[in-house]
Amino acid sequence: MYRFLLLVLALLLLGGCSSAPQFSRQDLMHHHWVLDRLDDELIELPARNRPDFEIGEHFTVNGIAGCNRYFGQGHLKGDRLKVSNLGSTSMACPPPLDTIEQAVLDTLQQGATLTGDTQRLILQGKRHRLEYKLRDWVY
């Protein structure tokens, strides 16, 4: 009986260590995020047409990847975000926007783990880490 109680207690403690997803669909929807860092490097671009990220009604995703606009259908499973049916305009991007754009589109398509807080959203993909700052249109 003593061993059984210890086993139950250990399972309860281990169950308490697992964490629930940090972001819900409602937390992410209807916000405007601006890319601040790519792979821990500060993005230094003019404020106009800066790479950004938004999730709208029905969890649709859109924004500017570098110099092209993108759009798709977001999916949130636990702490993983993935965008399916990703499409974009197709203008040629000069450096460094071309590198930024490819990193953003690859990360969204392949899926990323979400972390952050109310002011910062971090998407950690297989190859890239995208850090966005909250810049809602209405304050």
Side-chain angles (χ1 to χ4, degrees), residues 95-113:
L97 291 176
D98 59 343
T99 303
I100 295 169
E101 180 159 308
Q102 198 57 53
V104 168
L105 295 176
D106 286 349
T107 301
L108 293 176
Q109 257 184 325
Q110 293 171 2
T113 301

Side-chain angles (χ1 to χ4, degrees), residues 25-36:
R25 288 172 59 99
Q26 290 74 24
D27 292 334
L28 297 169
M29 289 173 49
H30 308 295
H31 290 290
H32 178 238
W33 305 87
V34 176
L35 188 63
D36 186 49

